[in-house]
Coordinates of all heavy atoms in Angstrom, one line a residue:
L904 N -56.0 27.4 43.5 CA -56.3 26.0 43.7 C -56.6 25.3 42.3 O -56.1 24.2 42.0 CB -57.4 25.7 44.6 CG -57.8 24.3 44.9 CD1 -56.6 23.5 45.5 CD2 -59.0 24.2 45.8
A905 N -57.4 26.0 41.5 CA -57.7 25.4 40.2 C -56.5 25.3 39.3 O -56.3 24.2 38.6 CB -58.8 26.3 39.5
I906 N -55.6 26.3 39.4 CA -54.4 26.2 38.6 C -53.5 25.1 39.0 O -52.9 24.3 38.2 CB -53.6 27.5 38.7 CG1 -54.4 28.7 37.9 CG2 -52.2 27.4 38.1 CD1 -53.8 30.1 38.2
I907 N -53.4 24.9 40.4 CA -52.5 23.8 40.9 C -53.1 22.5 40.5 O -52.4 21.6 40.1 CB -52.5 24.0 42.5 CG1 -51.7 25.2 42.9 CG2 -51.9 22.7 43.1 CD1 -51.7 25.5 44.3
V908 N -54.5 22.3 40.6 CA -55.1 21.0 40.3 C -54.9 20.8 38.8 O -54.6 19.6 38.4 CB -56.6 21.1 40.6 CG1 -57.3 19.9 40.0 CG2 -56.8 21.1 42.1
F909 N -55.0 21.8 38.0 CA -54.9 21.6 36.5 C -53.5 21.1 36.2 O -53.3 20.1 35.4 CB -55.1 23.0 35.8 CG -54.7 23.0 34.3 CD1 -55.5 22.4 33.4 CD2 -53.5 23.5 34.0 CE1 -55.2 22.4 32.0 CE2 -53.1 23.4 32.6 CZ -54.0 22.9 31.6
F910 N -52.4 21.7 36.7 CA -51.1 21.3 36.5 C -50.7 19.9 37.0 O -50.0 19.2 36.5 CB -50.0 22.4 36.9 CG -49.9 23.5 35.9 CD1 -50.5 24.7 36.1 CD2 -49.3 23.3 34.7 CE1 -50.4 25.7 35.2 CE2 -49.1 24.3 33.8 CZ -49.7 25.5 34.0
M911 N -51.3 19.6 38.2 CA -51.2 18.3 38.7 C -51.8 17.2 37.8 O -51.2 16.2 37.6 CB -51.8 18.2 40.1 CG -51.0 18.9 41.2 SD -51.8 18.8 42.8 CE -51.6 17.1 43.2
L912 N -52.9 17.5 37.3 CA -53.6 16.6 36.3 C -52.8 16.5 35.0 O -52.7 15.4 34.5 CB -55.0 17.1 36.1 CG -56.0 16.9 37.2 CD1 -57.3 17.6 36.9 CD2 -56.3 15.4 37.5
Y913 N -52.3 17.7 34.6 CA -51.5 17.7 33.4 C -50.2 16.8 33.5 O -50.0 16.0 32.7 CB -51.1 19.2 33.1 CG -50.2 19.3 31.9 CD1 -50.7 19.2 30.6 CD2 -48.9 19.6 32.1 CE1 -49.9 19.4 29.5 CE2 -48.0 19.8 31.0 CZ -48.5 19.6 29.7 OH -47.7 19.8 28.6
L914 N -49.5 17.1 34.6 CA -48.3 16.3 34.8 C -48.6 14.8 35.0 O -47.8 14.0 34.5 CB -47.5 16.9 36.0 CG -46.9 18.3 35.8 CD1 -46.4 18.8 37.1 CD2 -45.9 18.3 34.7
G915 N -49.6 14.5 35.7 CA -50.0 13.2 36.0 C -50.4 12.5 34.7 O -50.0 11.3 34.5
S916 N -51.2 13.1 33.9 CA -51.7 12.6 32.6 C -50.5 12.3 31.7 O -50.4 11.3 31.0 CB -52.6 13.5 31.9 OG -53.8 13.6 32.7
S917 N -49.5 13.3 31.7 CA -48.3 13.1 30.8 C -47.5 11.9 31.3 O -47.0 11.1 30.5 CB -47.5 14.4 30.8 OG -46.4 14.2 30.0
F918 N -47.4 11.8 32.6 CA -46.6 10.7 33.1 C -47.3 9.3 32.7 O -46.6 8.4 32.2 CB -46.5 10.7 34.6 CG -45.7 9.6 35.3 CD1 -44.3 9.6 35.3 CD2 -46.4 8.5 35.7 CE1 -43.6 8.6 35.9 CE2 -45.7 7.4 36.3 CZ -44.3 7.5 36.4
V919 N -48.6 9.2 33.0 CA -49.3 7.9 32.7 C -49.3 7.6 31.2 O -49.0 6.5 30.8 CB -50.7 8.0 33.3 CG1 -51.5 6.8 32.9 CG2 -50.7 8.1 34.8
L920 N -49.7 8.6 30.4 CA -49.9 8.3 29.0 C -48.5 8.1 28.3 O -48.5 7.4 27.3 CB -50.6 9.5 28.3 CG -52.1 9.7 28.8 CD1 -52.7 10.9 28.1 CD2 -52.9 8.5 28.5
S921 N -47.5 8.7 28.8 CA -46.1 8.5 28.2 C -45.6 7.1 28.5 O -44.7 6.6 27.8 CB -45.2 9.6 28.7 OG -44.9 9.4 30.1
R922 N -46.1 6.5 29.6 CA -45.7 5.1 29.9 C -46.5 4.1 29.1 O -46.1 2.9 29.2 CB -45.8 4.9 31.4 CG -44.6 5.2 32.2 CD -44.1 6.7 32.0 NE -42.9 7.0 32.8 CZ -42.3 8.2 32.7 NH1 -42.8 9.2 32.0 NH2 -41.2 8.4 33.5
I923 N -47.5 4.5 28.5 CA -48.3 3.5 27.6 C -47.6 3.5 26.3 O -47.5 4.5 25.6 CB -49.8 3.9 27.6 CG1 -50.4 4.0 28.9 CG2 -50.5 3.0 26.6 CD1 -51.8 4.5 28.9
T924 N -47.2 2.3 25.9 CA -46.4 2.2 24.7 C -47.2 1.9 23.5 O -48.0 0.9 23.5 CB -45.3 1.1 24.8 OG1 -44.4 1.4 26.0 CG2 -44.5 1.0 23.6
V925 N -47.1 2.7 22.4 CA -47.6 2.3 21.1 C -46.6 1.4 20.5 O -45.4 1.7 20.2 CB -47.8 3.5 20.2 CG1 -48.3 3.1 18.8 CG2 -48.8 4.5 20.9
A926 N -47.0 0.1 20.2 CA -46.0 -0.9 19.8 C -45.6 -0.6 18.3 O -46.3 -0.1 17.5 CB -46.7 -2.3 19.8
P927 N -44.3 -1.0 18.1 CA -43.8 -0.7 16.7 C -44.4 -1.8 15.7 O -44.8 -2.8 16.2 CB -42.3 -0.9 16.9 CG -42.2 -1.9 18.0 CD -43.3 -1.5 19.0
E928 N -44.4 -1.5 14.5 CA -44.7 -2.4 13.4 C -43.7 -3.6 13.4 O -42.5 -3.3 13.7 CB -44.8 -1.7 12.1 CG -45.9 -0.7 12.0 CD -45.8 0.1 10.7 OE1 -44.9 -0.1 9.9 OE2 -46.7 0.9 10.5
V929 N -44.2 -4.8 13.2 CA -43.3 -5.9 13.3 C -43.0 -6.5 11.9 O -43.7 -6.1 10.9 CB -44.0 -7.0 14.1 CG1 -44.2 -6.6 15.5 CG2 -45.3 -7.5 13.5
N930 N -41.9 -7.3 11.8 CA -41.5 -7.9 10.6 C -41.2 -6.9 9.5 O -41.6 -7.1 8.3 CB -42.6 -8.9 10.1 CG -42.9 -10.0 11.1 OD1 -42.0 -10.5 11.8 ND2 -44.2 -10.4 11.3
T931 N -40.5 -5.9 9.8 CA -40.2 -4.8 8.9 C -38.7 -4.9 8.6 O -37.9 -5.3 9.5 CB -40.6 -3.4 9.3 OG1 -39.8 -3.2 10.6 CG2 -42.0 -3.3 9.5
M932 N -38.2 -4.5 7.5 CA -36.8 -4.5 7.1 C -36.1 -3.3 7.8 O -36.7 -2.3 8.1 CB -36.7 -4.3 5.6 CG -37.4 -5.4 4.8 SD -36.6 -7.0 4.9 CE -35.0 -6.6 4.0
K933 N -34.8 -3.5 8.1 CA -34.0 -2.5 8.7 C -33.1 -1.9 7.6 O -32.0 -2.3 7.4 CB -33.1 -3.1 9.8 CG -33.9 -3.7 11.0 CD -33.1 -4.2 12.1 CE -33.9 -4.8 13.3 NZ -33.0 -5.3 14.3
E934 N -33.7 -1.0 6.9 CA -33.0 -0.4 5.7 C -32.5 1.0 5.8 O -31.6 1.4 5.1 CB -34.0 -0.5 4.5 CG -34.5 -1.9 4.2 CD -35.7 -2.0 3.2 OE1 -36.7 -1.3 3.5 OE2 -35.6 -2.7 2.2
V935 N -33.1 1.8 6.7 CA -32.6 3.1 6.9 C -32.4 3.5 8.4 O -33.2 3.0 9.2 CB -33.7 4.1 6.4 CG1 -33.3 5.6 6.5 CG2 -34.1 3.8 4.9
D936 N -31.3 4.1 8.7 CA -31.0 4.5 10.0 C -31.5 5.9 10.3 O -31.1 6.8 9.6 CB -29.5 4.4 10.3 CG -29.1 2.9 10.4 OD1 -29.9 2.0 10.5 OD2 -27.9 2.7 10.2
I937 N -32.4 6.1 11.3 CA -32.7 7.4 11.7 C -32.3 7.5 13.2 O -31.9 6.5 13.8 CB -34.2 7.7 11.6 CG1 -35.0 6.8 12.5 CG2 -34.6 7.6 10.1 CD1 -36.5 7.2 12.6
Y938 N -32.4 8.7 13.8 CA -32.1 8.9 15.2 C -33.1 9.8 15.9 O -33.8 10.6 15.2 CB -30.7 9.6 15.3 CG -29.5 8.8 14.8 CD1 -29.2 8.7 13.4 CD2 -28.7 8.0 15.6 CE1 -28.2 8.0 12.9 CE2 -27.7 7.3 15.2 CZ -27.4 7.3 13.8 OH -26.3 6.5 13.3
I939 N -33.2 9.7 17.2 CA -33.8 10.7 18.0 C -32.8 11.3 18.9 O -31.9 10.6 19.4 CB -35.0 10.2 18.8 CG1 -34.6 8.9 19.6 CG2 -36.2 9.9 17.9 CD1 -35.7 8.4 20.5
L940 N -32.8 12.6 19.0 CA -31.7 13.4 19.7 C -32.4 14.4 20.7 O -33.4 15.0 20.3 CB -30.9 14.1 18.6 CG -29.8 15.1 19.1 CD1 -28.7 14.3 19.7 CD2 -29.3 15.9 17.9
T941 N -31.8 14.5 21.9 CA -32.4 15.4 22.8 C -31.3 16.3 23.5 O -30.2 15.7 23.6 CB -33.2 14.7 23.9 OG1 -33.8 15.6 24.8 CG2 -32.3 13.7 24.7
N942 N -31.7 17.5 23.8 CA -30.8 18.3 24.7 C -31.2 18.3 26.1 O -30.8 19.1 26.9 CB -30.8 19.7 24.1 CG -32.2 20.4 24.2 OD1 -33.2 19.8 24.7 ND2 -32.3 21.6 23.7
G943 N -32.1 17.3 26.5 CA -32.6 17.2 27.8 C -34.0 17.8 28.0 O -34.6 17.5 29.0
V944 N -34.4 18.6 27.0 CA -35.7 19.2 27.1 C -36.5 18.9 25.8 O -37.7 18.6 25.8 CB -35.7 20.7 27.3 CG1 -37.1 21.3 27.3 CG2 -35.0 21.0 28.6
H945 N -35.8 19.0 24.7 CA -36.4 19.0 23.3 C -36.0 17.8 22.5 O -34.8 17.5 22.6 CB -36.0 20.3 22.7 CG -36.4 20.5 21.3 ND1 -37.6 21.1 20.8 CD2 -35.8 20.0 20.1 CE1 -37.7 21.0 19.5 NE2 -36.6 20.4 19.1
T946 N -36.8 17.2 21.8 CA -36.5 16.0 20.9 C -36.4 16.5 19.5 O -37.4 17.1 18.9 CB -37.5 14.9 21.1 OG1 -37.6 14.5 22.5 CG2 -37.1 13.7 20.3
D947 N -35.4 16.1 18.8 CA -35.2 16.2 17.4 C -35.3 14.9 16.7 O -34.9 13.8 17.3 CB -33.9 16.9 17.0 CG -33.8 18.3 17.1 OD1 -34.8 18.9 17.5 OD2 -32.7 18.9 16.9
V948 N -35.8 14.8 15.5 CA -35.8 13.6 14.6 C -34.7 13.8 13.6 O -34.7 14.8 12.9 CB -37.2 13.4 14.0 CG1 -37.1 12.2 13.1 CG2 -38.3 13.2 15.0
V949 N -33.8 12.9 13.5 CA -32.6 13.0 12.7 C -32.7 12.0 11.5 O -32.9 10.8 11.7 CB -31.3 12.8 13.5 CG1 -30.1 13.1 12.6 CG2 -31.3 13.7 14.7
V950 N -32.5 12.5 10.3 CA -32.6 11.6 9.1 C -31.4 11.8 8.2 O -30.7 12.8 8.4 CB -33.9 11.9 8.3 CG1 -35.1 11.7 9.1 CG2 -33.9 13.4 7.8
P951 N -31.2 10.8 7.3 CA -30.1 11.0 6.4 C -30.3 12.3 5.5 O -31.4 12.6 5.1 CB -30.1 9.8 5.5 CG -30.9 8.8 6.3 CD -31.9 9.6 7.1
T952 N -29.2 13.0 5.2 CA -29.4 14.2 4.4 C -29.9 13.8 3.0 O -30.8 14.5 2.5 CB -28.0 14.9 4.2 OG1 -27.5 15.3 5.5 CG2 -28.1 16.1 3.4

Side-chain angles (χ1 to χ4, degrees):
L904 179 60
I906 292 172
I907 292 172
V908 170
F909 170 79
F910 279 103
M911 288 179 66
L912 289 172
Y913 175 77
L914 294 173
S916 298
S917 181
F918 179 86
V919 172
L920 296 177
S921 68
R922 268 58 180 179
I923 300 174
T924 301
V925 176
E928 295 172 355
V929 297
N930 301 320
T931 59
M932 301 291 288
K933 297 180 179 180
E934 299 171 307
V935 181
D936 291 340
I937 66 168
Y938 296 82
I939 50 174
L940 177 68
T941 182
N942 62 3
V944 176
H945 172 95
T946 303
D947 280 357
V948 177
V949 187
V950 298
T952 300

